[in-house]
Amino acid sequence: MLSNHHWPWAAPLLALGAAAATTIDLTTPALKWTLTNGQGNVSVPAAVPSHAQLDLFAAGVVGDPLLGENNVHDNWVGTSNWTYTSAPIAGLAVPGGTTSYLIFDGLDTFAAVSLCNTSVASVNNQFRRWSFDVSGILAGAGCAQPVLEVAFTNAPAMAQYLADPAVPEASCAACFEAAYYYPGREFMRKEQSDFGWDWAPALSPTGIWLPARIVQLASADIHVQASTADVYRLGQQNNLPPSQSAPFVVNASIDYLGALPAGATLHASITGARGQALWSGALGNVTLGNGTIGGHTVLEGKSPALWWPVGYGAQALYNLTLSIIVPSSPSALASASKRIGFRTLILNQTPVSAAQLATGIAPGNNWHFEVNGRAVWAKGSNLVPLDAFWPRVTAGDFQELFEMAVAGNQNMLRVWASGAYLPDAAYDLADELGLMLWSELQFSDALYPTAPAFVANVLAETSQQVRRINHHPSLALWAGNNEIEYGLLRLGTNAPVALTEQYGGLFVQTLLQAVWAETRSVSYSPSSTTNGYQELDWAAGLMVERLGNVTEGSIYGSTDYYDYDATIAFNLSTYPVGRFANEFGFHSQPSYQTYAAALPPADLAFNSSGVLSRNHHYPINLTSFFSSFSSPAPPQNRTARSLQGMGELSTAAEHWLPTPRNADATQLFKAQILATQIFQAEFYRAQIAFYRRGSGRPERTMGSLYWMLNDIWAAPTWAGIERGGRWKMLHYGAKDVYAPVVVAPYYDAGTGAVEVWVTSDLWDAVAGTATVQWYDWAGRSLGGGKADLRAAVEVGAVNSTRVFAFNTADVTAFDLNTAVAVLSVEVAGGGAAYAHTHRFVAPPLSDPAVVGALVDPRLRLRHAGGSAFVVEAAALAAFVWLDHPAGVRGYWSDNGFWMLPGARTVTFTVLEDSTGGGWADEVVVDSLWTLASSD
């Protein structure tokens, strides 16, 4: 596993050859950076990497931007200009005979760089590495004590400037966006959510956000800037299933600064995790130019161990060392190391074959992931930035979050397109854990410029990022953007042809060719939510998107679904039918403890000013994206457009759950939080089960990624894991319904029809027994067992089977309004056994008949020592919720579960404990009864 080192973007150590090169680390505290505002009346010590808000917070000028309402009170920081100034830089080699480069791994975002009071360059892209030859400046007469200055112009002001169609850098009169707090984000290459989002604050940070250095090279020196490797099967073409019997190809290159001697070649060695040699030698077909040397080899006769996603096999990894060799030296002039894996991982969007049609799959196109030639059911969620300020994100933060995802039975995360490209440390960890990362270029919910200067900037960004990340076996997909094709499809006939052409020019043509130029091993999709392609010509670099050109009865592509009309939340006919569900959800409140760490006590209430200020889900989301063209509002908002944010939370909880009526304000707030989390978890459970059932239906649905995994601050959001690492009920519910084999009910309240299906994502068929047993709320068997069901069940590989079908009108032995059906399945296959339970209640839990029938389960919690706790119930208990106190961070083996009378043992994984173990005495247990009862 990765060590918990602080900086996740740290590059691997590189050998620089025999000649001595000088590298000055510009992040060292000895450089004594200073941060000064444009007016010159604020000046504080600064750090690199950092953002202005972090430096001002450290100096006591502002509070923590994520506490209280500081994001509002201190928004002047994000709209001010800031300059980072170094102390005189010591340790530089004497000018003359050396070439000096100033290198920034990341500047956020618009900056004028000067050295020795001499202009170096102006930059305009947060996601690019910038390298400048400053040899002439350092040799100048005025550079005895070199001082570096980076002057930033605030992004909101630049957005306003670039939005002017007369500005050539980003000229685009037709561009538009789903706007949040600051407008104009589409005109700049900056983290889009920095301008606000419905789950994030609008802080618009600025600063030197990644490491920086000065490198001085003698004439024989080489400095490795970056390296890349592409591992694929011989003959493989992007987006198309390759032959699994073909040998692997390793195509690799090094980007360098300096001049290579004549005759330079590129060698590679590949060794296993224990140092065993797989291959070593000179790469063939060496190319040299534009500061890059590259070549490839075909591993004929080699059978490396394959890398598999978690749950499907082991994560075999190999070490690749690239070395630049020159005839005049026995040792490498320069080298670079990376860790690679051998696998094919493609997004299969090929037309449904005749053989598939014969099995009952609907016509159209496939849309699923295949690893090493085998289809996988993708189970996961969407990843958003871990913090509003990347400089304070550590490798340990990624490790903790990714391990929580895997603990939640997830095998894929979608790296959402309006954050930032993840550091190598994140992909390294995903490689180790077997966590597939669907990665997106950073464009979202907007139409972007196609002005030449903007496109050139984007192409440089794309090339750097794809080359940096491509070697990771966990990299599952490059997607050009988030939801833009979906937006055009929603416009339908109202979408002007010019907009479709502008979209296609950037994402279907330019960026597709930019990605394909760097990799054969990773598929490219122009958009995250898409009907896929209609035509693909790999040799010509051509993809024709299907867009709205669909045939009735055929199924294509992936789906995106949000519906805040809570009255139809569990109406299965409202869920989209597609090959893959890449985004869906509903928000909820974070825990009381998470709120208490971020808000003053006076704001710990449902509709307090502090909570309301953090509700950013109001009518500036996708509705404005569509209404920009005077098109009808999306139908998912048809009856609930006025119930944004907090109103949606209240309405959903009150419609489906008992309404808490505690007299104590604190207990009432906690109960209200619990209610929103129960509804959210149930809504996601229903949708995930629906999509999983689709694996055995004509739609052949092969994945679901819900919105969203993690939180950026304490607020009402869609996250399953709160800021600080506390799991909401959603993450526990998703863990349960993402188990390898699950049983679930599917209910049509209009007709009373109930179906019970068993679903498996395993590659081995499973067989066993499924049951349905009816109980009252006291936990007693109903109807003498006459309505209970029992049957043998068999489920094929990655498939779903209907086991039972009945109608609630036929259940007459007892009052169905006060009954609970417990569903269970026990199966075996592939040498392993699997069991799962679920439940079914026909009316909403808010129904007076249900509320009147509830029985106090008289829950008791006992600490059984160590990590074990025993929950005892005297009656049937729904949504049993173990709430751990502040002071300990971790998660339960199960939570939010239902249980019959009796005892159940759960365990708690401790990640951090500041209570000396005392937290175990403060765990509180709640349930549905907490909402139904009143004090």
Side-chain angles (χ1 to χ4, degrees), residues 66 144 184 210 245 263 288 359 365 409 422 429 561 755 804 813:
L66 299 184
L210 291 177
S245 62
L288 184 64
T359 67
N365 277 47
N409 286 324
L422 297 188
L429 182 61
Y561 176 76
E755 295 183 358
F804 304 113

Side-chain angles (χ1 to χ4, degrees), residues 889-905:
R889 296 195 314 109
Y891 51 90
W892 299 95
S893 57
D894 197 5
N895 209 354
F897 51 83
W898 290 46
M899 63 182 292
L900 290 167
R904 180 166 181 172
T905 299

Side-chain angles (χ1 to χ4, degrees), residues 477-813:
L477 174 70
W478 281 114
N481 69 76
N482 165 62
E483 291 184 326
I484 303 179
E485 181 180 319
Y486 172 69
L488 293 174
L489 289 173
R490 297 307 296 265
L491 290 174
T493 56
N494 291 328
V497 174
L499 297 187
T500 302
E501 291 178 347
Q502 184 172 336
Y503 163 79
L506 182 59
F507 296 106
V508 187
Q509 299 171 24
T510 302
L511 291 180
L512 174 141
Q513 294 181 24
V515 173
W516 280 8
E518 303 294 350
T519 177
R520 289 194 188 188
S521 65
V522 183
S523 300
Y524 175 80
S525 175
S527 191
S528 57
T529 306
T530 173
N531 280 332
Y533 62 77
Q534 188 171 6
E535 180 183 348
L536 182 69
D537 187 335
W538 183 84
L542 174 68
M543 179 184 287
V544 178
E545 285 291 85
R546 183 173 301 277
L547 297 176
N549 187 16
V550 298
T551 301
E552 187 175 355
S554 294
I555 299 176
Y556 314 90
S558 57
T559 63
D560 188 308
Y561 176 76
Y562 292 93
D563 195 323
Y564 300 102
D565 180 354
T567 64
I568 58 171
F570 302 101
N571 184 338
L572 304 185
S573 68
T574 66
Y575 301 166
V577 174
R579 304 293 190 193
F580 196 105
N582 64 257
E583 190 171 333
F584 55 92
F586 198 100
H587 45 313
S588 73
Q589 295 273 38
S591 67
Y592 184 87
Q593 294 88 339
T594 295
Y595 263 143
L599 295 175
D603 275 333
L604 298 179
F606 195 86
N607 283 319
S608 70
S609 62
V611 169
L612 289 176
S613 74
R614 290 164 178 262
N615 165 40
H616 288 188
H617 180 51
Y618 36 83
I620 57 169
N621 50 29
L622 282 179
T623 300
S624 65
F625 182 72
F626 303 112
S627 63
S628 300
F629 297 95
S630 301
S631 62
Q636 69 261 33
N637 292 316
R638 57 190 178 276
T639 62
R641 283 155 53 187
S642 64
L643 297 175
Q644 296 288 323
M646 308 302 288
E648 291 166 345
L649 294 177
S650 299
T651 300
E654 291 172 1
H655 187 84
W656 294 102
L657 298 166
T659 301
R661 305 193 183 282
N662 305 68
D664 180 84
T666 298
Q667 294 306 313
L668 176 61
F669 186 36
K670 290 180 178 180
Q672 291 168 329
I673 289 172
L674 178 62
T676 69
Q677 290 201 16
I678 289 175
F679 172 80
Q680 181 191 43
E682 288 296 279
F683 193 22
Y684 284 62
R685 271 181 179 269
Q687 288 189 69
I688 293 171
F690 177 84
Y691 301 131
R692 291 200 67 180
R693 180 182 68 162
S695 65
R697 290 171 52 84
E699 58 263 32
R700 187 60 172 161
T701 307
M702 287 296 289
S704 82
L705 307 177
Y706 65 80
W707 186 263
M708 57 193 192
L709 176 68
N710 59 306
D711 245 338
I712 202 169
W713 66 333
T717 75
W718 292 251
I721 299 176
E722 301 170 9
R723 179 170 175 80
R726 185 179 292 262
W727 292 18
K728 288 183 180 178
M729 193 176 292
L730 162 58
H731 200 66
Y732 290 106
K735 173 187 176 182
D736 177 71
V737 77
Y738 273 152
V741 179
V742 297
V743 60
Y746 301 88
Y747 177 47
D748 185 332
T751 65
V754 180
E755 295 183 358
V756 177
W757 288 63
V758 175
T759 301
S760 169
D761 60 40
L762 301 169
W763 283 337
D764 293 297
V766 295
T769 304
T771 62
V772 175
Q773 297 172 288
W774 293 93
Y775 298 89
D776 65 13
W777 284 97
R780 299 174 299 226
S781 178
L782 284 173
K786 293 180 181 180
D788 292 353
L789 302 171
R790 183 181 182 87
V793 60
E794 295 183 8
V795 186
V798 194
N799 220 310
S800 195
T801 298
R802 191 180 74 175
V803 187
F804 304 113
F806 60 90
N807 195 289
T808 55
D810 298 331
V811 181
T812 58

Side-chain angles (χ1 to χ4, degrees), residues 163 166 182 204 319 364 411 416 499 555 691 696 787 824 871 876 888 893 907:
Y182 296 115
S204 187
N319 297 311
N411 60 29
W416 177 71
L499 297 187
I555 299 176
Y691 301 131
S824 64
V871 182
L876 192 156
V888 65
S893 57
T907 59

Side-chain angles (χ1 to χ4, degrees), residues 908-927:
F908 188 78
T909 298
V910 175
L911 300 175
E912 184 179 5
D913 179 16
S914 62
T915 72
W919 66 272
D921 297 325
E922 298 181 37
V923 178
V924 175
V925 62
D926 291 300
S927 70

Side-chain angles (χ1 to χ4, degrees), residues 251-486:
N251 187 13
S253 61
I254 287 178
D255 299 335
Y256 62 89
L257 296 174
L260 288 183
T265 59
L266 188 61
H267 286 228
S269 66
I270 305 172
T271 58
R274 295 182 175 88
Q276 65 274 29
L278 177 68
W279 186 89
S280 181
L283 297 181
N285 296 98
V286 171
T287 59
L288 184 64
N290 297 320
T292 297
I293 182 171
H296 73 268
T297 186
V298 180
L299 300 182
E300 293 280 6
K302 302 294 182 181
S303 299
L306 299 180
W307 182 95
W308 296 95
V310 60
Y312 289 103
Q315 290 74 53
L317 296 170
Y318 289 80
N319 297 311
L320 169 67
T321 300
L322 301 174
S323 301
I324 300 176
I325 304 296
V326 295
S328 59
S329 174
S331 59
L333 178 64
S335 64
S337 296
K338 338 186 71 63
R339 195 175 58 182
I340 62 174
F342 291 90
R343 59 92 177 107
T344 62
L345 204 175
I346 68 148
L347 172 59
N348 186 338
Q349 300 180 72
T350 58
V352 171
S353 67
Q356 288 179 302
L357 290 172
T359 67
I361 296 176
N365 277 47
N366 289 284
W367 213 101
H368 65 264
F369 290 90
E370 291 180 7
V371 182
N372 301 322
R374 305 196 68 172
V376 298
W377 214 94
K379 304 183 295 189
S381 55
N382 287 259
L383 179 77
V384 300
L386 278 64
D387 196 296
F389 307 102
W390 282 107
R392 63 182 182 185
V393 175
T394 69
D397 294 333
F398 278 108
Q399 181 158 345
E400 181 177 290
L401 185 61
F402 283 8
E403 288 179 347
M404 287 180 176
V406 172
N409 286 324
Q410 301 191 21
N411 60 29
M412 177 178 280
L413 297 178
R414 174 174 164 238
V415 184
W416 177 71
S418 285
Y421 301 93
L422 297 188
D424 277 300
Y427 286 92
D428 283 336
L429 182 61
D431 293 342
E432 296 172 5
L433 294 174
L435 193 58
M436 298 177 285
L437 297 181
W438 160 336
S439 303
E440 298 180 344
L441 306 179
Q442 297 302 312
F443 303 86
S444 181
D445 290 335
L447 196 66
Y448 288 82
T450 53
F454 185 88
V455 171
N457 196 5
V458 165
L459 285 174
E461 165 195 327
T462 302
S463 177
Q464 284 186 10
Q465 295 295 346
V466 172
R467 288 176 62 77
R468 178 178 67 84
I469 296 170
N470 189 75
H471 67 281
H472 292 281
S474 58
L475 177 60
L477 174 70
W478 281 114
N481 69 76
N482 165 62
E483 291 184 326
I484 303 179
E485 181 180 319
Y486 172 69

